[in-house]
Amino acid sequence: MLEQALTALATAAGSAVVTAAGTDGWSYLRQTLARWFGAGDGEREQTALERLDQTAAALGAAPPPQAESVRIRQEAAWQTRFEDALEALAPSERERAAHVLRALLEGSFPPGTGAGALFVAGDVDVRADRGSIAAALVHGGASIATPHQPDPPQG
């Protein structure tokens, strides 16, 4: 039986799989988690990729009335897979694998998108009103100022 912190980690990892499926971050998370499950074994990595693809397909094909129940089942299945993988390891290997998994989940966005990235499965509507700024992604800063007025024409 896993300690509470590792069970919480497995729960978070299961949720991350389901949340990322079908988003821009899916490919990155899919690859990194498959490598984590594979731990250097190509066959285990391929099995993980196939399971991840099956999850994405199941979530994508679920009709709206059943989407939530499919999501819950997939999260539970992935939590169990993470728990089983961690439990199968020797204690010293388990801590190392947990550390790596935490790092993967904390960085479960493609390089370059930053820690504030948001992956959305669905539509996003970004709006500004009353002189404010709205953006889906801002690199650097943003400010609102009165535009520079050109000099009057010389004539």
Side-chain angles (χ1 to χ4, degrees):
M1 182 136 201
L2 290 177
E3 63 184 69
Q4 190 174 10
L6 293 180
T7 300
L9 176 61
T11 301
S15 180
V17 168
V18 172
T19 300
T23 68
D24 290 342
W26 176 244
S27 178
Y28 178 77
L29 185 64
R30 175 185 173 271
Q31 286 299 125
T32 56
L33 289 178
R35 281 194 296 273
W36 184 85
F37 275 104
D41 180 323
E43 189 173 317
R44 284 193 325 210
E45 185 173 331
Q46 186 58 41
T47 298
L49 285 170
E50 290 168 7
R51 286 180 175 160
L52 289 160
D53 289 342
Q54 290 167 359
T55 293
L59 291 166
Q66 292 143 356
E68 186 60 23
S69 64
V70 170
R71 181 181 172 83
I72 290 168
R73 281 195 312 273
Q74 291 296 326
E75 279 187 14
W78 280 102
Q79 177 183 345
T80 300
R81 286 182 182 120
F82 284 108
E83 287 174 351
D84 290 347
L86 289 167
E87 214 164 26
L89 299 171
S92 61
E93 294 172 334
R94 186 178 303 144
E95 286 306 314
R96 184 184 160 287
H99 177 75
V100 170
L101 182 57
R102 276 187 204 95
L104 290 175
L105 295 178
E106 289 170 4
S108 63
F109 40 85
T113 59
L118 174 66
F119 299 121
V120 179
D123 296 332
V124 174
D125 187 17
V126 179
R127 297 174 189 233
D129 65 355
R130 293 180 240 168
S132 62
I133 296 175
L137 178 64
V138 175
H139 289 283
S143 65
I144 299 173
T146 305
H148 176 70
Q149 297 296 322
D151 292 331
Q154 301 281 330

